[in-house]
């Protein structure tokens, strides 16, 4: 007689635990917008260079371009040197050359607006900030409006195009 109430207890407890676990997973998983924000933070970290940064740290950063950029990424910086379609390996090389002329460089993002187009497309518009010191000591402070498109590949949002327009001129 005591077995029947215990059986009902377990029959009710197991679905409640399953629903609780499913709810917890849903609440804790990263939304598409959060994942895109992480990709952009990774881009900023990848492109930034701290003063006296060691070469090993720079190489570790540069080897993560495939976690930020799609297999083919279109870049239009309105400057011939940076315009074209690149693979992550080519972007690694381009970033390494650019970092060679900088003593330090800080990249930041402001006013980010993300639009997700399910299931695997998204775009973002934001203000990009560049504060850098060249190896010769001269300063570069730039503000640009950027437009990026993203594609979702294997559950990761990667940049597949980036265009830059001047918004402030000195």
């Amino acid at each position: 007689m005591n077995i029947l109430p215990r059986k009902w207890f377990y029959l009710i407890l197991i679905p409640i635990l399953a629903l609780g676990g499913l709810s917890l997973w849903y609440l804790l998983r990263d939304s598409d917008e959060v994942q895109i924000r992480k990709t952009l933070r990774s881009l900023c970290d990848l492109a930034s260079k701290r003063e006296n940064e060691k070469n090993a740290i720079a190489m570790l950063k540069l080897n993560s371009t495939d976690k930020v950029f799609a297999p083919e990424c279109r870049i239009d910086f309105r400057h011939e040197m940076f315009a074209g379609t690149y693979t992550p390996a080519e972007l690694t090389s381009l970033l390494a050359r650019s970092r060679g002329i900088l003593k330090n460089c800080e990249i930041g993002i402001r006013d980010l607006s993300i639009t997700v187009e399910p299931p695997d497309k998204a775009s973002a518009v934001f203000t990009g900030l560049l504060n850098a010191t060249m190896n010769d000591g001269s300063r570069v402070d730039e503000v640009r409006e950027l437009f990026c498109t993203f594609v979702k590949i294997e559950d990761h949002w990667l940049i597949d195009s980036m265009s830059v327009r001047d918004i402030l001129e000195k």
Side-chain angles (χ1 to χ4, degrees), residues 61-78:
K61 280 178 156 182
L62 291 174
N63 283 330
S64 66
T65 54
D66 60 335
K67 294 180 177 101
V68 175
F69 296 102
E72 282 194 352
C73 181
R74 174 85 183 126
I75 305 285
D76 182 12
F77 283 179
R78 302 207 179 212

Side-chain angles (χ1 to χ4, degrees), residues 36-93:
I36 291 168
R37 287 178 188 274
K38 283 182 182 178
T39 298
L40 289 171
R41 273 195 303 273
S42 295
L43 174 64
C44 289
D45 187 50
L46 175 71
S48 294
K49 177 183 179 183
R50 310 301 184 260
E51 196 164 348
N52 300 322
E53 185 175 80
K54 303 293 183 204
N55 288 338
I57 292 173
M59 292 313 298
L60 286 172
K61 280 178 156 182
L62 291 174
N63 283 330
S64 66
T65 54
D66 60 335
K67 294 180 177 101
V68 175
F69 296 102
E72 282 194 352
C73 181
R74 174 85 183 126
I75 305 285
D76 182 12
F77 283 179
R78 302 207 179 212
H79 189 284
E80 284 185 30
M81 181 178 163
F82 297 112
T85 301
Y86 300 98
T87 65
E90 292 167 333
L91 286 167
T92 297
S93 177

Side-chain angles (χ1 to χ4, degrees), residues 70-72 120-122 149-153 156-160:
E72 282 194 352
D120 62 352
K121 301 262 186 230
T149 59
F150 298 82
V151 63
K152 193 172 194 177
I153 300 175
H156 297 289
W157 287 99
L158 303 174
I159 299 170
D160 71 341

